[in-house]
Amino acid sequence: MRILSIFRRGLLQEFRNPLNLSLTIFTTPFFIFFYWLLIGNSSPENIGLYLEKSENKPTYKNQVILDSIVNRLKESQKKEIQIIPILSQKELDTKLKEGKILLGIGISIEEDSIKNKFPKIKIEILTSDNNTKEQYLSLELKSKLLDLFSTETELPFSIQIKNNGEMFIRSDFEQFIPGLLVFSIIMLIFSSSMMMTAEIESETYLRYKMSNTPVFSVLIGSSFLQLFNGIISILLSLSIAKLLGYQFHDKLILVFLICFLGSISCIGTGLLIASFMKTSQQAFLTSSFIMFLFLLFSGIIFPKPILLFRITEGFGFDVFYLLPTSLMKSALDRLLVWDKGLNSILFELSVLSALSLFYYLLGYFSYKNFLFDKSGRSSE
């Protein structure tokens, strides 16, 4: 089969240039590991402790309660976990949201309308995620507090573990992963545009023309090669992130599907660039411009700008969603950063699928129309 033959030939050529192949496949896994070495393994493991103040009770009673709880927690406290005081509920929520504390403990004293009755102590153990580590630590803290109140005090109490997943924002390293996955897809624009332009420079397509090889076989075989490179890069990136402790929350298949669709669009973009370029150097410079366009307006490095195009009153769309990488970043953030499900990314998946098909067909037919003209000019 000619498509398979062209794919195999292109793969052998890439192995003859290991530097280019390595940059295409290993760039993203390298930066994931490098970024993790810098900040990824230094996540804070502090527990924030907040005691809600009550105007109707003497401060010293509150302090006695707080001291008892702190002392009990410190008895079996691990060295790497520190208990830090929090001054307000807002500060507790903010630190939990920003990942500056692993867990939060909120303590309030409920009023009792009957005199000479002990106040009721209400304790909430606040978590920002629902992973195994936080579940274990939350249950351990609850056990210690239950032991404290049931054996050493006569105060009525309630202890509850509350998951604030809706407000959760991941650490810097965890928020870095979706953007890098999108960047690994953008790299395919370079490899596909430069490979297709190099084939023109080397007059390979003259040989295809003389051997009556269909243009369809040439383009599909070359596209499969670039898609193969993209899949290897994605799998390596996901594997490295997983080994470094990144939690995908059983969404690996959806993440892979999004990256796969994005790969098709970027390969089509590379074909479109190559159809207008005469040399590999021109293809490289043009691909660099496209890369910066995608990086700047897709939210990968800077916040994504919004440019609404109104069709009718009350209906419009964001122009920057015409960039497939913008849709990829939005969908990956919803899945990985905000821990949402499939229903939350149906819009991104639908539009990304349509855009990927459009970009690839545009690049395919553009390159097909210019193919023999360019190869003819290169032979003059």
Side-chain angles (χ1 to χ4, degrees):
M1 189 176 181
R2 291 186 175 181
I3 293 177
L4 183 60
S5 176
I6 292 171
F7 173 84
R8 185 169 56 248
R9 173 188 169 276
L11 190 61
L12 291 174
Q13 283 186 333
E14 287 195 336
F15 279 118
R16 296 190 188 103
N17 194 343
L19 178 60
N20 288 349
L21 182 61
S22 299
L23 290 174
T24 301
I25 294 178
F26 296 108
T27 295
T28 300
F30 167 77
F31 278 109
I32 289 177
F33 180 70
F34 181 70
Y35 199 73
W36 176 83
L37 286 178
L38 293 179
I39 67 169
N41 57 349
S42 59
S43 57
E45 294 193 348
N46 298 324
I47 297 176
L49 186 60
Y50 165 63
L51 175 63
E52 183 180 339
K53 295 181 179 179
S54 175
E55 297 179 355
N56 299 325
K57 294 184 173 58
T59 305
Y60 77 90
K61 286 189 177 181
N62 296 352
Q63 192 61 47
V64 168
I65 295 171
L66 181 63
D67 290 342
S68 299
I69 294 174
V70 171
N71 290 335
R72 172 50 60 99
L73 294 177
K74 285 184 176 180
E75 287 178 2
S76 55
Q77 175 184 332
K78 298 178 181 179
K79 293 182 179 180
E80 64 271 16
I81 297 179
Q82 300 296 324
I83 298 176
I84 60 176
I86 303 294
L87 301 179
S88 67
Q89 183 67 45
K90 182 179 180 181
E91 181 185 357
L92 180 67
D93 292 340
T94 300
K95 287 184 178 295
L96 193 65
K97 177 180 178 181
E98 295 177 350
K100 295 181 180 178
I101 57 176
L102 184 64
L103 296 176
I105 300 178
I107 305 172
S108 61
I109 303 176
E110 294 185 347
E111 296 288 345
D112 198 320
S113 59
I114 304 176
K115 295 183 179 180
N116 300 323
K117 289 286 187 178
F118 289 113
K120 183 177 180 180
I121 309 301
K122 182 180 179 181
I123 301 176
E124 286 187 340
I125 301 175
L126 305 175
T127 68
S128 58
D129 201 355
N130 199 29
N131 56 47
T132 304
K133 180 179 181 180
E134 291 192 9
Q135 288 179 11
Y136 174 79
L137 186 56
S138 299
L139 292 173
E140 185 180 18
L141 290 175
K142 184 176 181 179
S143 175
K144 293 176 183 177
L145 294 173
L146 284 171
D147 182 59
L148 168 66
F149 283 97
S150 61
T151 60
E152 299 184 17
T153 72
E154 298 179 356
L155 296 175
F157 66 94
S158 67
I159 302 176
Q160 181 182 9
I161 298 176
K162 184 178 179 182
N163 186 348
N164 288 350
E166 291 296 325
M167 57 172 284
F168 176 57
I169 297 179
R170 287 180 177 260
S171 67
D172 290 340
F173 170 70
E174 292 170 320
Q175 294 186 71
F176 185 65
I177 298 298
L180 261 184
L181 291 176
V182 178
F183 180 75
S184 67
I185 302 306
I186 294 176
M187 292 291 291
L188 293 177
I189 298 177
F190 284 93
S191 59
S192 57
S193 63
M194 294 179 66
M195 181 193 74
M196 303 305 285
T197 309
E199 295 285 80
I200 296 295
E201 288 182 303
S202 63
E203 299 184 350
T204 302
Y205 283 105
L206 288 177
R207 294 191 288 273
Y208 285 142
K209 184 177 180 180
M210 289 186 292
S211 62
N212 294 322
T213 302
V215 179
F216 173 82
S217 299
V218 175
L219 293 180
I220 296 300
S222 301
S223 298
F224 278 162
L225 175 61
Q226 295 304 315
L227 190 60
F228 175 78
N229 291 339
I231 290 174
I232 295 298
S233 179
I234 293 168
L235 292 177
L236 284 174
S237 300
L238 295 176
S239 300
I240 290 293
K242 186 71 175 177
L243 288 173
L244 296 178
Y246 192 87
Q247 298 294 327
F248 287 97
H249 303 290
D250 300 324
K251 296 183 175 69
L252 277 173
I253 295 178
L254 286 176
V255 171
F256 181 82
L257 175 61
I258 293 169
C259 293
F260 179 81
L261 292 173
S263 300
I264 296 175
S265 65
C266 287
I267 293 171
T269 304
L271 291 175
L272 184 62
I273 292 172
S275 65
F276 295 99
M277 298 298 110
K278 297 180 180 179
T279 65
S280 298
Q281 183 180 13
Q282 290 178 347
F284 173 79
L285 293 175
T286 305
S287 298
S288 299
F289 173 80
I290 298 298
M291 181 196 73
F292 283 114
L293 178 69
F294 283 176
L295 290 177
L296 291 175
F297 298 114
S298 298
I300 299 173
I301 296 179
F302 303 103
K304 188 184 79 66
I306 298 177
L307 182 60
L308 290 177
F309 180 77
R310 299 189 179 278
I311 301 176
T312 60
E313 184 66 27
F315 178 76
F317 69 93
D318 187 354
V319 174
F320 291 115
Y321 274 137
L322 294 176
L323 300 178
T325 49
S326 181
L327 292 163
M328 287 182 61
K329 182 63 164 59
S330 176
L332 290 174
D333 280 345
R334 289 176 185 272
L335 288 176
L336 300 180
V337 177
W338 299 106
D339 196 19
K340 300 293 184 179
L342 174 62
N343 292 335
S344 67
I345 62 167
L346 289 178
F347 169 77
E348 284 84 354
L349 272 180
S350 302
V351 180
L352 180 60
S353 300
L355 273 182
S356 297
L357 180 62
F358 171 77
Y359 273 84
Y360 183 78
L361 290 178
L362 182 64
Y364 175 89
F365 286 109
S366 177
Y367 199 89
K368 179 180 179 181
N369 291 336
F370 286 97
L371 177 62
F372 292 112
D373 290 339
K374 292 177 65 173
S375 58
R377 287 196 300 268
S378 63
S379 62
E380 292 178 357

